[in-house]
Amino acid sequence: MSTGTPYSTPEELISALYSTSSTLPGPFQELNESFLLQSAYLVFFMHCGFAMLSIGCVRAKFAKHIAVLILVDATASALGFYLFGFAFAYGDDASADGLNPAGNAFIGKNFFAMNKMAPTAYYNWVFQWTGPQCLVAATPDAVHCGADTRLADCRKGTDINSLVGGGYLLFGSGAIDFAGSGAVHMVGGYAAFAGAWVLGPRIGRFLPDGTSVDMAGHNTSLFVLGVMILWFGWYGFNPGSQLAIVTPTGSTYSIASAVSNAAVTTSLAPAAAGLTGLFVTAILLKVKTGKHHWDIMAMGNSTLAGLVAITAGCSTVYPWAAVTIGIVSGFIYPLASRLMVLIRIDDPLDAIAVHAFNGTWGVWAVGLFGAKNLINTSYGYNPYTEGDRHYGCFMGGGGHLLAAQVVYSIWLGAWVLANMFTFFYVLKLLGYFRVNAADEAAGLDASHHGGSAYPMDLDDDASHKGSSYNGNQSGYNKNELDSIRSELASLRQSIGKNRSADNGMSDSVRNGTRAEAMPGGNMV
C-alpha cells in the first residue's frame, strides 16, 4: 500500500531524517514550513490581544479609535510589507554559488512586491510580516492614524540581518537577539518615547504645578483578556523564531530542543515578572499612600515586560535564568512607569516602560545568562572560527558577548530615536500628528468615527477616577451614583427652601443650577 511519499517504510523515513545530507527531504522541509506558518498564525492573533489591551487602557471615548488603529496596522502593513518592507529587510543579493544571501551595504534591493521570489519561500514572508507587527502606539488618545501606520512600515523595513547577523566586528562576537527584544520591542518602545515626547501629554494629564492627574483606562477586563491573548501569541513569536523544528542531521541537542527551551522560558519569565511586579507595586503604593492595594494593571504590564525581556534569549538561557530575568523585569516595569510620569511623558499604555526598558534589559540579559551549548544549538558554531560562540559572562564566557549586546542596544536605540524624532517632528510641523483640542476633549470616537463604541455612551469623567465599565450604562459605579443622588436631593431641598424668598428666580436659572450638580451637565 502506497504511503504517498518517497519512503515506503517508517524505517526509511527515520533514516532520511537522520541522514548526513545537507538538505532535508521534502516531507521534513514541509514540516518546517508548516511549523513556521502555524507560528505566524499565532503571532497574527496577537492583534486581537493588542486591541483588547489598548482599548481597555484608554478612556471610553477613544475605544473605537483604537480599534481603527489596529485594523489599519494589519491592513496597511500587509500591503507595505508586500511592496517594499520584505525587500528592504531580506532582499539581499545571492552569493556566488546562489545558495545563500551575500548581504548588503545598507538595505535589500530584491523582491519588491515579491517579484522573482520563489513560491517555496512564501511561508517565510508570512512569518516575517507578522513577527515585527507587534506595534504599540504610546499616545492613542490624541495621535492621528497616519503616524501609527507609517511607524508600522518603518519597523518592518528595519534590516534585522544587518543589525545582528553581520555583527562579527562586535568584540569578535556579534549580538544575539533571537526573537527581537531589541529589533522589535526596543524599536517600538523607543519610537513610542519619541512620539510621546513630540506629541506632548493629553489635555489635563499634568497640572501647571506638575501634579499628575490619573486618566485610568475604562475596562480592566478587556485589558486582562488582551494580556492573556498576547501571552498565547508569544508562543508563536518566540519558539517560531527558530524558523525550523527539524534538522538534517540528528544530534544530542537538536533545534527542536531549542524550540522547546524557548517555549519553557516564554512561560517562566512572564510568570515571575507578573508576580514580582504585583508585589513591588503594592509595596510602592503602601509607602506612598499608606494603603494596601493590588494593582491588576501593574501585574498585567509586568507580565508583558517579562515576555519582552525573554524574547532576546528565549532559546539560549536556561529556565532558572528565565525566572531571574522575569524577576528583574518585575522591578524594572513599575519603576520605569513612575519615571515616565516624573519627567512628564504621557504614556497611556505604558509602552515605554514595558518595551523600551525591558527590551533593553532583555538584550543585556543574554550577555549575562547565555549558555554555551544552548547558543551553539540554536545558532550553530561560530562561522568565522568554526569553534564555540561567545556566551554569557555569568556562565563563564567572559565579557565579549555582554559588550556586544550593550553596543548593539546603544546603536539600535540611537538609530530609532534619531529617525523617529525627526519623523514625528515633521508630522507635527505639518499639522498631521495631533488632533485639535476640541476633538481631543470630545473624544476621537465622536469627532472622527461617528460616535461611541458602546450602545450607550460612557461618561469618561468617571473613568478618570479609575472606575471600570461593568454594565452600568452611565459609566459611574454604585458608590458614585449614591453620592450624586444624595447631593442632588440636598440641592433640591435647598432650592425648595429658597423658592419663597426668591420668587423671581427663573426656571432656566433653576434648571441650570441643577445641571451643575453632575459633571458635564448630565442628570441621573
Side-chain angles (χ1 to χ4, degrees), residues 269-285 293-303 305 326-335 338:
L275 288 174
T276 302
L278 177 68
F279 284 101
V280 170
T281 302
I283 293 171
L284 292 174
L285 288 172
H293 176 59
W294 299 109
D295 191 338
I296 188 62
M297 303 288 275
M299 185 180 187
N301 278 328
S302 295
T303 301
I327 290 173
V328 175
S329 291
F331 281 91
I332 290 176
Y333 163 72
L335 296 175
R338 282 156 177 75

Side-chain angles (χ1 to χ4, degrees), residues 137-450:
T139 49
D141 284 23
V143 69
H144 274 303
C145 294
D148 191 36
T149 307
R150 182 65 188 125
L151 178 54
D153 287 335
C154 286
R155 282 180 58 173
K156 290 175 179 59
T158 302
D159 188 351
I160 297 174
N161 287 331
S162 68
L163 303 184
V164 183
Y168 179 64
L169 295 178
L170 291 174
F171 299 92
S173 171
I176 291 177
D177 188 7
F178 181 76
S181 289
V184 175
H185 296 284
M186 277 185 63
V187 171
Y190 280 90
F193 178 81
W197 183 283
V198 175
L199 187 70
R202 289 166 289 176
I203 296 174
R205 180 66 173 91
F206 298 105
L207 300 180
D209 63 0
T211 304
S212 64
V213 177
D214 185 28
M215 292 184 172
H218 78 286
N219 197 318
T220 304
S221 299
L222 286 181
F223 169 80
V224 173
L225 177 61
V227 170
M228 297 309 297
I229 291 175
L230 288 173
W231 192 346
F232 177 64
W234 235 285
Y235 288 111
F237 196 89
N238 281 2
S241 292
Q242 188 63 56
L243 306 183
I245 198 169
V246 178
T247 51
T249 58
S251 63
T252 302
Y253 299 102
S254 65
I255 59 171
S257 68
V259 171
S260 298
N261 191 80
V264 170
T265 56
T266 301
S267 302
L268 295 176
L275 288 174
T276 302
L278 177 68
F279 284 101
V280 170
T281 302
I283 293 171
L284 292 174
L285 288 172
K286 180 71 172 179
V287 171
K288 180 179 180 180
T289 66
K291 297 180 180 179
H292 182 74
H293 176 59
W294 299 109
D295 191 338
I296 188 62
M297 303 288 275
M299 185 180 187
N301 278 328
S302 295
T303 301
L304 294 177
L307 287 164
V308 169
I310 198 60
T311 298
C314 57
S315 70
T316 61
V317 302
Y318 287 115
W320 65 263
V323 173
T324 305
I325 292 169
I327 290 173
V328 175
S329 291
F331 281 91
I332 290 176
Y333 163 72
L335 296 175
S337 178
R338 282 156 177 75
L339 175 62
M340 290 300 100
V341 175
L342 184 64
I343 63 175
R344 298 170 65 92
I345 295 294
D346 186 15
D347 183 359
L349 305 187
D350 266 341
I352 301 167
V354 171
H355 295 270
F357 282 85
N358 284 280
T360 303
W361 158 238
V363 170
W364 292 358
V366 179
L368 300 175
F369 299 106
K372 179 173 72 172
N373 65 313
L374 297 180
I375 291 174
N376 288 335
T377 297
S378 185
Y379 284 88
Y381 290 100
N382 192 317
Y384 301 97
T385 66
E386 297 184 358
D388 292 334
R389 293 177 180 266
H390 291 283
Y391 52 101
C393 63
F394 286 176
M395 310 300 290
H400 289 79
L401 180 58
L402 177 60
Q405 299 296 110
V406 171
V407 170
Y408 165 66
S409 65
I410 293 173
W411 185 94
L412 186 58
W415 172 265
V416 174
L417 289 175
N419 279 276
M420 299 317 297
F421 266 121
T422 302
F423 174 65
F424 288 132
Y425 191 71
V426 170
L427 285 181
K428 182 178 181 179
L429 290 178
L430 295 175
Y432 289 121
F433 195 32
R434 184 166 189 154
V435 298
N436 61 56
D439 286 348
E440 183 179 338
L444 298 189
D445 288 3
S447 62
H448 282 64
H449 305 296

Side-chain angles (χ1 to χ4, degrees), residues 64-216:
K64 189 183 288 186
H65 180 65
I66 297 298
V68 170
L69 292 182
I70 297 295
L71 288 172
V72 168
D73 179 42
T75 54
S77 67
L79 294 177
F81 198 62
Y82 163 72
L83 292 173
F84 54 83
F86 185 86
F88 286 164
Y90 300 100
D92 295 349
D93 291 325
S95 58
D97 58 13
L99 299 177
N100 299 294
N104 61 74
F106 182 54
I107 57 175
K109 57 183 179 181
N110 299 301
F111 310 133
F112 290 98
M114 300 176 73
N115 184 41
K116 296 182 180 180
M117 183 177 175
T120 53
Y122 283 3
Y123 73 96
N124 188 47
W125 184 96
V126 175
F127 182 79
Q128 301 302 342
W129 165 55
T130 60
Q133 203 174 146
C134 302
L135 176 69
V136 178
T139 49
D141 284 23
V143 69
H144 274 303
C145 294
D148 191 36
T149 307
R150 182 65 188 125
L151 178 54
D153 287 335
C154 286
R155 282 180 58 173
K156 290 175 179 59
T158 302
D159 188 351
I160 297 174
N161 287 331
S162 68
L163 303 184
V164 183
Y168 179 64
L169 295 178
L170 291 174
F171 299 92
S173 171
I176 291 177
D177 188 7
F178 181 76
S181 289
V184 175
H185 296 284
M186 277 185 63
V187 171
Y190 280 90
F193 178 81
W197 183 283
V198 175
L199 187 70
R202 289 166 289 176
I203 296 174
R205 180 66 173 91
F206 298 105
L207 300 180
D209 63 0
T211 304
S212 64
V213 177
D214 185 28
M215 292 184 172

